[in-house]
Amino acid sequence: MHKVGIVGWRGMVGSVLMERMLSENDFSKVKTYLFSTSLKGENAPKYDNCHEYILDSDSIEHLRTMDIILTCQGGDYTKDIHPKLRQSGWEGIWIDAASALRMNEDAVIVLDPINGKHIEKSLDAGIKDFIGGNCTVSLMLMGLGKLFEEDLVEWMTSMTYQAASGAGAKNMIELLEQMKFFGDAYLSQRQSNSAANALEFEKNMTENFSHPKFPKECFGHPLALSLLPWIDIKMPNEQSKEEWKAQVEANKILQNKEIVPIDGTCVRVASLRCHSQAFTLKLKKSVSIERVESLINESNSWTEVIANDKEETLQKLTPAYVTGTMKIPVGRIRKMTLGDQYLNAFSVGDQLLWGAAEPLRRVLLMALKQ
Ligand code: HSE
């Protein structure tokens, strides 16, 4: 049985990964070792075949006895530990949720419904680093990958609506605290002035944006009752890093020799979980909506074409419908008034599942077959 070390299993992506591994009975297929710096030496949870004690995630000596290491610990951990492990001569398989190694030439970005064959070939060829893609990139390709595979896309824009949890657990809690702050202010205003009208409430809420006690340590700004059109650092070309990832990662996953331009604006919105995206695609030729819909429907078992109908859209093309599931609904599919080759679409996906944990557990299963 392969020895699999898991690091970062208590964080948000790690917890979702553990839930998925439990529900898919993955622990019965491997000998699991859980690693943590703060819990080293303590009893491990009683999963099937799980080593009794938690090991130290900084111990190269212990890590290098693993056949496979799967980490959701974050980029700083990867940058610190991965080179030390490789320098120690470790030749195991490294599976990682963080972006640190993604664009390395000898690393594969994993999203097996799209590049499963490439992953298999890479495993056969002795590639050792398999990295999960950026969440919005993976979710976009789960929904629209088939259009790229059929070489139908000249260029694409993706305007994103990314959930607070994408910024981390603390940020998601901060959004709830911001909502509570507004909720409390609203209730107290309603109590003191039951005749207040909508604009009076709005004025009070707006004033609360700059209240000295308004909770904004993590985001730095109000997200509740607002939005934040910047995610991650600025790149030299004026994109944010989140926006930069779309083109480089999507083209790498698709193994495109000719780069398909992809660009857009990434926006943080006040949903808790799920990243949504509005797409404009310039197609290389005229393609009927029926053909587009059937390509999307047949891409994989998780995509679901949502009819361009108000009720169905509002019911199914939302974080409320998708959160906690593997569903990838794609809707608002229509030709734009810009011209016959301009296609509009919208999709939603759970960024902790298909956008992070799921591709990792699936590449783990593929690696076990080696
Ligand atoms: N970069 C993503 C975000 C994380 O900030 O939302 C993946 O969810």
Side-chain angles (χ1 to χ4, degrees), residues 1 20 35 41 52 77 161-162 197 216 227 323 345 352 355:
M1 224 177 225
R20 284 289 298 147
F35 286 78
E52 209 177 338
Y77 180 79
Y161 306 77
Q162 298 183 221
N197 67 29
K216 56 178 187 186
L227 55 77
T323 288
L352 294 171

Side-chain angles (χ1 to χ4, degrees), residues 134-136 162-168 231-232 242 245 268 275 351-352 355-356:
N134 169 264
C135 41
T136 49
Q162 298 183 221
S165 53
I231 297 176
D232 212 332
E242 190 78 352
K245 287 174 180 174
R268 188 76 65 200
H275 289 354
Q351 94 283 1
L352 294 171

Side-chain angles (χ1 to χ4, degrees), residues 173-335:
I173 299 295
E174 186 172 273
L175 171 61
L176 292 170
E177 290 295 329
Q178 292 187 355
M179 288 171 163
K180 178 179 182 300
F181 199 89
F182 284 126
D184 290 347
Y186 168 67
L187 285 178
S188 107
Q189 188 181 7
R190 209 177 58 175
Q191 236 163 18
S192 61
N193 177 8
S194 58
N197 67 29
L199 279 177
E200 285 165 335
F201 284 124
E202 178 277 322
K203 187 164 179 280
N204 181 15
M205 295 307 122
T206 302
E207 278 164 9
N208 271 298
F209 281 140
S210 47
H211 192 289
K213 292 208 170 125
F214 188 82
K216 56 178 187 186
E217 208 172 280
C218 299
F219 281 113
H221 304 272
L223 177 61
L225 305 190
S226 187
L227 55 77
L228 300 170
W230 195 287
I231 297 176
D232 212 332
I233 58 170
K234 190 173 186 172
M235 300 298 282
N237 72 353
E238 300 286 319
Q239 285 179 303
S240 73
K241 194 164 184 193
E242 190 78 352
E243 291 151 7
W244 173 83
K245 287 174 180 174
Q247 176 173 310
V248 294
E249 290 192 21
N251 279 278
K252 177 165 178 173
I253 293 170
L254 293 163
Q255 294 176 272
N256 285 338
K257 293 199 175 69
E258 206 175 298
I259 297 300
V260 177
I262 303 176
D263 197 358
T265 302
C266 291
V267 182
R268 188 76 65 200
V269 296
S271 54
L272 289 184
R273 187 165 163 174
C274 280
H275 289 354
S276 310
Q277 305 181 60
F279 306 108
T280 297
L281 295 102
K282 168 88 191 292
L283 300 176
K284 288 187 175 174
K285 58 183 183 195
S286 174
V287 184
S288 72
I289 289 297
E290 292 70 30
R291 174 89 182 117
V292 169
E293 290 187 348
S294 76
L295 283 171
I296 292 172
N297 257 334
E298 73 197 31
S299 318
N300 56 63
S301 340
W302 300 277
T303 53
E304 182 184 351
V305 168
I306 306 300
N308 191 34
D309 159 86
K310 182 174 177 183
E311 269 321 301
E312 196 170 337
T313 299
L314 296 181
Q315 200 189 330
K316 294 188 166 173
L317 203 54
T318 64
Y321 176 72
V322 173
T323 288
T325 75
M326 306 277 283
K327 293 172 193 156
I328 305 283
V330 184
R332 301 311 322 271
I333 301 169
R334 62 179 178 84
K335 295 283 177 81

